[in-house]
Amino acid sequence: MDIGIDKIGFYVPKDYIDIVELAKARNVDPDKFTIGIGQDKQAVPQPYQDAVTMAASSADSILTSEDKKDIGLLIVGTESSVDESKSSAAFLMDLLELPEDIRAFEIKQACYGATAGLQSAYDFVSLNPDKKALVIATDIARYGIKTPGEVTQGAGSVAMIISKDPRVLKLDHKSVYMTRNVGDFWRPTFSKTAFARGKFSNQVYVDFFQTLWQKFQNKYSMTADDFSTMLFHIPYTKMGTKALRTLEETVSDTKYAELTKHYQESIKFSREVGNLYTGSLYLGLLSYLVYGAQPNEQLLLFSYGSGAVGELYSAKVQPDFEQVVDKSALQKMLTNRQKLSISNYEKMYQIEYQDGTIVDPITVDTKFYLSEIKENERLYKKSK
Ligand code: HMG
């Protein structure tokens, strides 16, 4: 039975900052941020947006009432959870008007969460072929103002429906994975911003990719010639380039040129959005589906979550993917955003809603929003 991604949707907040303006405000040569890091814009969420509201938005963009009847599993992958106990998935039941006979929960393992969700969804559909699974990646990547990680922030969500006979991407069930206890990046429960050993995290990322690529080739007797495209977790777009470069001496010039061209197509969205943490690999997939993918193309996907878990797996683009992926809607979402000045971004960054906050709906310009914090419980609403 063929199983994989049947639909894929994306949500990005409406506000962004310009990376050249950020560089100037930080007294950094803009080329460092646009070339050295490889970013152009960075998505900035409003204070009434969080992992839950963004997840609702990305899922809402693809779910039909027919899908809602068939979904038996809902997994939210996030490291920006709003509650230490209740999962984001539980909040989504009301916002998305889902029926009760669903197994719903949240998964956390840094940027690996969505891939863990996807692989669990694969198993679920294998056992329940008439059911579908909804997997949502949703995060706000934050390192803090004037930190080295600031240029690699971002926010947004990717939602995927996993089913049999998928129309977007068939998972091949060829996968290698590994876990090591590594201190490259972490966020203690008291902190809204992450801590990172930045350069060390880059080394661990590349080491995981190289180790897994070797394992994959050994396990399946395959080489780079079996793939036309490699997609990477993209915390910032230069990161995937660093991993790809490790192949340069091992593959033909033609293959390296092909992989590089396709990688460039896969990072167009990320350059405009920044790090989605667990959604980043899937934002790269979406970008590639919009700008480069061909029917029946064989892809290799590298998922990496600090801490650290890595997984390398293969998948096949489906013949009719273009009928399911709404390219112009995705492009429009990115072009219809508004630029925030760096000083307004800094002001917004400091806003933190406390218990007792009631958000005035007149000030909200998103479909789903945090409406109130009452007795320390977060309450959400859908705009009329
Ligand atoms: P930094 O100290 O600002 O960077 O930190 P740098 O000084 O190393 O410079 C970066 C690059 O810009 C270098 O290129 C410079 O040469 C270049 P590279 O050697 O890397 O190829 N450069 C210039 N280029 C053109 N013109 C110039 C110029 N000046 C310098 N004038 C760092 C960068 C990414 C480390 C920092 O932003 C950071 O700590 N980010 C957060 C951590 C991170 O994103 N790590 C990625 C791997 S871990 C991961 O992917 C997991 C993660 O997503 C979390 C999760 O799993 O949940 C993060």
Side-chain angles (χ1 to χ4, degrees), residues 217-357:
Q217 292 175 90
N218 295 344
K219 184 170 175 186
Y220 298 110
S221 303
M222 292 173 96
T223 70
D225 289 330
D226 293 300
F227 301 98
S228 49
T229 301
M230 294 192 188
L231 301 176
F232 293 84
H233 164 56
I234 316 167
Y236 58 97
T237 69
K238 181 75 164 290
M239 189 67 249
T241 308
K242 285 174 193 263
L244 193 56
R245 274 186 193 150
T246 63
L247 299 183
E248 192 168 6
E249 301 302 316
T250 66
V251 301
S252 68
D253 291 350
T254 321
K255 177 54 64 182
Y256 189 67
E258 180 186 40
L259 294 174
T260 303
K261 176 177 177 289
H262 293 176
Y263 178 67
Q264 291 305 324
E265 290 160 349
S266 80
I267 61 175
K268 284 181 189 277
F269 283 178
S270 298
R271 287 194 72 98
E272 300 269 311
V273 173
N275 198 353
L276 293 195
Y277 283 159
T278 191
S280 292
L281 170 62
Y282 301 96
L283 183 62
L285 168 64
L286 256 179
S287 180
Y288 188 61
L289 291 170
V290 169
Y291 291 107
Q294 296 299 320
N296 299 314
E297 204 188 330
Q298 205 64 43
L299 312 180
L300 192 67
L301 295 95
F302 174 57
S303 179
Y304 176 79
S306 284
V309 181
E311 180 155 350
L312 194 62
Y313 66 94
S314 66
K316 190 176 185 178
V317 177
Q318 294 301 277
D320 296 329
F321 78 97
E322 283 172 304
Q323 286 171 25
V324 193
V325 177
D326 189 343
K327 296 184 181 184
S328 65
L330 291 162
Q331 286 163 323
K332 220 191 269 171
M333 195 190 305
L334 287 167
T335 46
N336 285 355
R337 293 181 295 164
Q338 58 219 10
K339 188 170 77 170
L340 271 182
S341 67
I342 299 302
S343 60
N344 281 342
Y345 143 77
E346 287 174 354
K347 276 185 215 136
M348 216 156 89
Y349 209 95
Q350 311 301 338
I351 301 173
E352 209 173 300
Y353 288 161
Q354 306 295 332
D355 189 28
T357 297

Side-chain angles (χ1 to χ4, degrees), residues 29 32 36 79 110-111 148 198-199 201-202 233 235 238 242 275 306:
D29 177 354
K32 174 173 176 183
E79 53 182 300
C111 299
K199 302 226 164 63
S201 72
N202 290 354
H233 164 56
K238 181 75 164 290
K242 285 174 193 263
N275 198 353
S306 284

Side-chain angles (χ1 to χ4, degrees), residues 22 42 141-144 146-154 194 196 198 235 275:
L22 180 69
Q42 182 176 110
R142 284 192 146 200
Y143 294 87
K146 298 180 184 164
T147 60
E150 185 181 25
V151 61
T152 68
Q153 297 178 144
N275 198 353

